[in-house]
Amino acid sequence: MDDEQTNRRLAAILAADVVGYSRMMAADEDGTLAALKRHRETAFDPAVERHHGRIVKLIGDGTLVEFASVVDALKCALAIQQAAHGEEKNSASGIVLRIGVNLGDVIVDGDDIYGDGVNVAARLEPLAEPGGICIASIVNESVGTRIDATFRDGGEVRVKNIDRPIRVWKWHPSADAARTAAPRPQTSDPGEQPAESPSIAVLPFDNMSGDPEQEYFSNGITEDIITDLSKVGGLLVIARNSSFTYKGKSVDVRTVGRELGVTSVLEGSVRRAGDRVRITAQLIDTTTAGHLWAERYDRDLTDIFAVQDDVTRQIVDALKVTLTPSEMARIADTGTTNVEAHDYFLRGRELMFGLIRDREIFDHATACFRRAIELDPNYGAPYAGLAMAYMLDHQNRWSESPETSLDRADRFVRDAIEREDKDPFAHYVAAVVAMFQKDYDRWADEVDRALALNPNHALALNARGILLLYTGEPAKAIPYIERAMRLDPAFQSQFIHFLGTAHFVGGDYEAAAASFRDRIAKTPSTDLSRAFLASALGHLNRPEEARRIWRELKDINPEYSHPEHVDRLPFRDPADAEKFTDGLRKVGLPD
């Protein structure tokens, strides 16, 4: 088409989509359609009209709207999402939108529009959190200070069919949920972080007590600080798994910065003697190795919670990150004032998440959690610890009655949330329980709550990605899984398997095979990834290679059963599970 014959114009494009529409239709088609119609008539369409927009087309649960003014487009998006957020406490309609907004060149064809401006808006929409908005950088720059809302930098992303990276900015009406809105894909170099996005790794504090038995305490202080910092939406915080790979090593902070892709490192020490504790901490710039902040605390053990709170706030101040009121409240909330109960919880957590997991560790950890509960029955964290322990027993079958462990985990995690609703770990455990129960709605609710409370929760991000891939939205799963990999690079082996599974379910068998090979290289003993790799190779018509991988699998695990494996996977649509079987069948496996 000749440029002289093409009608082009600059326009702001709003793309909106209903969250969980397919699930809602499957559960109640008539009710969903009625709720959607009511939402459009009472909220969406009036907002578009007030802000001078034009609804270009409705596509099932999606809507495309054109605006002459980018300010009007963004004000309309905010009005829609703020109204929905205000009504959700009093409404059971269940209509929640994701919205993407772009400013760009469009081609006009009658009443329809298409082109790059439209395509980018459509790709931004899935990157928004439920109830939130994702905008291109050009939108953020164009509106400047003319919008009464704060958008947070989501970094550069690559999206399908767009040959350039796009810088995105994100917003959510809830101060808590706003912090979940940054599942950025991992770049080829983990160090490629925007300068305006502070990032930190907290190295394991040294145990200076002269007593190896106190190691759990110094580790516990470190992990509590990591957890508190992770609740800050303006920070990227490396997960414990990856930070603790440096334990006991003499390292240069500049090396840590390069390896973990962070701009700062916190290191320190803990000395505990009787009822007194001395904690030293120093924050170091990984580029210059210069000190940004340092402090020493000599306190009574009963002041330990205040010390942790102060360390977190000092770091946030030093990195020039602004805390929201809800973040301040979450950091100050320790869950208990009983130091002895907290001490037993630290002991149990250290055991449960150590390198060795067996029946003896299970018994010792659960005993610690139960003692913490005896000391403070209203302390939620040890209930969550018990829930996680029984989840692991459900998988590993340590106890005499592992068939009851899933129900016990469910009961304990509900007890945890009842006592401490703002503990992100408890909501993550609840999501894992729901995953094994194949309760997709609860799974989504709990993992979203965990991420609202802790946007740096790598395991929760991965769980959100897993939910999407098992419920038929593998393309949306990938950014979450890649974000988890960015936050916890030492744990990448497990995440890579799920990344491969997302590509597999999406039909990109070449990408799936590459991920599964990567996982096998990192974890040579895996049977799970070999089974998926063999199936992917079957779909790619590579029978000899598929059979070789299958022989490796059977050498590793002679008892491997494909039907049992498939039955355990929580695919909502049997057709997605069938892809696994079909790939093997195409090359005559299992034989």
Side-chain angles (χ1 to χ4, degrees):
M1 187 177 289
D2 213 294
D3 276 349
E4 291 182 357
Q5 299 173 315
T6 304
N7 185 7
R8 296 176 179 272
R9 62 174 173 243
L10 185 67
I13 307 300
L14 182 155
D17 193 63
V18 178
V19 178
Y21 181 73
S22 298
R23 168 181 55 79
M24 294 165 65
M25 286 290 284
D28 181 4
E29 185 173 300
D30 291 341
T32 299
L33 290 174
L36 182 57
K37 181 179 179 182
R38 185 165 58 253
H39 180 269
R40 284 175 174 161
E41 290 177 346
T42 62
F44 194 93
D45 291 0
V48 170
E49 183 177 355
R50 285 197 311 273
H51 294 92
H52 316 295
R54 178 179 73 90
I55 294 178
V56 178
K57 53 187 161 186
L58 303 175
I59 312 169
D61 60 322
T63 311
L64 191 69
V65 187
E66 180 189 15
F67 296 82
S69 161
V70 68
V71 174
D72 281 342
L74 199 48
K75 283 184 175 180
C76 179
L78 288 164
I80 291 167
Q81 299 294 51
Q82 286 168 337
H85 180 68
E87 291 173 1
E88 65 184 4
K89 301 179 184 65
N90 305 311
S91 171
S93 71
I95 299 298
V96 178
L97 301 181
R98 289 186 177 93
I99 294 179
V101 180
N102 184 42
L103 175 65
D105 187 59
V106 300
I107 299 171
V108 182
D109 183 8
D111 290 333
D112 203 357
I113 56 174
Y114 57 98
D116 196 54
V118 176
N119 295 339
V120 171
R123 299 304 180 192
L124 294 177
E125 172 268 309
L127 300 179
E129 286 300 305
I133 302 168
C134 179
I135 64 176
S137 184
I138 189 172
V139 174
N140 188 63
E141 293 166 3
S142 298
V143 299
T145 59
R146 291 177 287 172
I147 298 292
D148 186 20
T150 301
F151 281 74
R152 290 190 176 272
D153 188 355
E156 286 191 346
V157 300
R158 289 191 175 273
V159 296
K160 187 176 179 181
N161 297 332
I162 303 297
D163 60 3
R164 66 187 186 282
I166 300 171
R167 191 60 162 268
V168 299
W169 294 75
K170 299 183 180 185
W171 172 92
H172 195 281
S174 163
D176 288 343
R179 304 303 169 258
T180 73
R184 282 175 283 174
Q186 182 189 33
T187 62
S188 57
D189 178 359
E192 292 177 11
Q193 285 299 306
E196 62 270 34
S197 299
S199 50
I200 187 171
V202 181
L203 300 186
F205 279 28
D206 293 330
N207 171 25
M208 305 297 288
S209 303
D211 179 5
E213 294 294 320
Q214 292 296 314
E215 199 73 24
Y216 79 91
F217 186 74
S218 58
N219 288 348
I221 297 299
T222 308
E223 187 160 354
D224 282 349
I225 292 171
I226 291 172
T227 299
D228 282 345
L229 288 170
S230 295
K231 296 173 183 177
V232 180
L235 272 179
L236 183 150
V237 184
I238 296 298
R240 177 197 193 275
N241 290 322
S242 295
S243 291
F244 271 62
T245 60
Y246 297 93
K247 186 172 178 62
K249 300 177 182 178
S250 176
V251 294
D252 186 317
V253 294
R254 287 168 290 198
T255 301
V256 176
R258 288 193 300 271
E259 291 178 348
L260 296 181
V262 293
T263 57
S264 57
V265 163
L266 181 73
E267 57 183 19
S269 64
V270 178
R271 182 188 301 276
R272 180 176 174 180
D275 292 332
R276 297 286 295 177
V277 62
R278 170 180 290 179
I279 296 177
T280 65
Q282 53 186 0
L283 184 66
I284 305 171
D285 186 301
T286 59
T287 302
T288 65
H291 284 66
L292 302 174
W293 166 82
E295 187 62 86
R296 187 179 79 176
Y297 302 87
D298 285 293
R299 301 284 182 86
D300 289 335
L301 191 59
T302 52
D303 291 335
I304 190 64
F305 303 123
V307 171
Q308 291 174 181
D309 181 47
D310 189 62
V311 169
T312 301
R313 290 172 185 273
Q314 295 280 12
I315 292 168
V316 168
D317 286 346
L319 296 178
K320 297 180 172 59
V321 176
T322 302
L323 288 175
T324 67
S326 58
E327 287 170 343
M328 292 179 189
R330 287 202 302 273
I331 290 170
D333 184 7
T334 61
T336 184
T337 57
N338 188 313
V339 173
E340 189 178 2
H342 182 62
D343 193 76
Y344 272 102
F345 170 69
L346 294 183
R347 293 172 187 267
R349 184 174 67 183
E350 181 71 10
L351 289 164
M352 203 71 266
F353 293 99
L355 295 176
I356 300 173
R357 291 182 178 178
D358 56 22
R359 172 61 188 268
E360 184 178 1
I361 293 295
F362 170 78
D363 287 342
H364 287 169
T366 53
C368 289
F369 292 138
R370 292 181 192 281
R371 178 57 181 152
I373 290 169
E374 288 176 6
L375 292 164
D376 184 353
N378 291 316
Y379 184 17
Y383 290 94
L386 281 173
M388 192 65 193
Y390 279 103
M391 276 300 312
L392 293 172
D393 183 50
H394 169 71
Q395 296 171 267
N396 295 285
R397 309 185 74 80
W398 293 315
S399 69
E400 283 77 14
S401 54
E403 68 280 357
T404 68
S405 290
L406 185 59
D407 288 340
R408 298 178 81 176
D410 192 2
R411 186 173 70 252
F412 281 124
V413 80
R414 291 180 188 275
D415 287 342
I417 292 170
E418 180 182 344
R419 288 161 174 78
E420 203 169 335
D421 182 52
K422 293 186 178 180
D423 179 3
F425 177 68
H427 288 284
Y428 163 69
V429 176
V432 176
V433 170
M435 177 182 72
F436 279 97
Q437 295 172 331
K438 298 185 180 181
D439 184 344
Y440 302 104
D441 290 343
R442 184 184 177 202
W443 185 354
D445 290 343
E446 294 293 356
V447 78
D448 285 346
R449 181 64 174 151
L451 288 171
L453 294 164
N454 182 346
N456 287 284
H457 201 309
L459 291 174
L461 282 161
N462 187 57
R464 192 69 176 88
I466 296 172
L467 170 65
L468 288 164
L469 78 86
Y470 281 128
T471 54
E473 297 185 284
K476 293 182 180 180
I478 290 170
Y480 284 94
I481 299 169
E482 290 182 330
R483 177 66 168 171
M485 292 165 65
R486 169 69 182 95
L487 290 167
D488 198 355
F491 205 58
Q492 279 193 10
S493 176
Q494 180 173 332
F495 297 148
I496 287 170
H497 173 80
F498 292 113
L499 184 64
T501 308
H503 287 304
F504 184 94
V505 175
D508 189 346
Y509 299 114
E510 287 284 5
S515 292
F516 294 133
R517 288 193 186 97
D518 194 8
R519 202 292 168 103
I520 291 167
K522 288 179 167 59
T523 311
S525 62
T526 177
D527 57 358
L528 184 65
S529 292
R530 279 186 169 84
F532 267 100
L533 176 56
S535 179
L537 293 168
H539 283 290
L540 293 169
N541 194 26
R542 299 177 191 169
E544 292 184 7
E545 190 177 356
R547 293 190 187 107
R548 177 178 62 80
I549 295 298
W550 191 262
R551 288 194 296 272
E552 290 179 6
L553 183 158
K554 296 299 280 187
D555 287 343
I556 291 168
N557 182 6
E559 303 301 319
Y560 177 83
S561 168
H562 170 68
E564 289 181 9
H565 182 181
V566 173
D567 187 58
R568 289 197 305 271
L569 299 176
F571 284 110
R572 184 164 61 187
D573 185 349
D576 287 333
E578 190 62 22
K579 291 177 184 177
F580 187 18
T581 303
D582 283 346
L584 296 175
R585 189 182 295 125
K586 287 178 179 179
V587 288
L589 295 171
D591 49 25

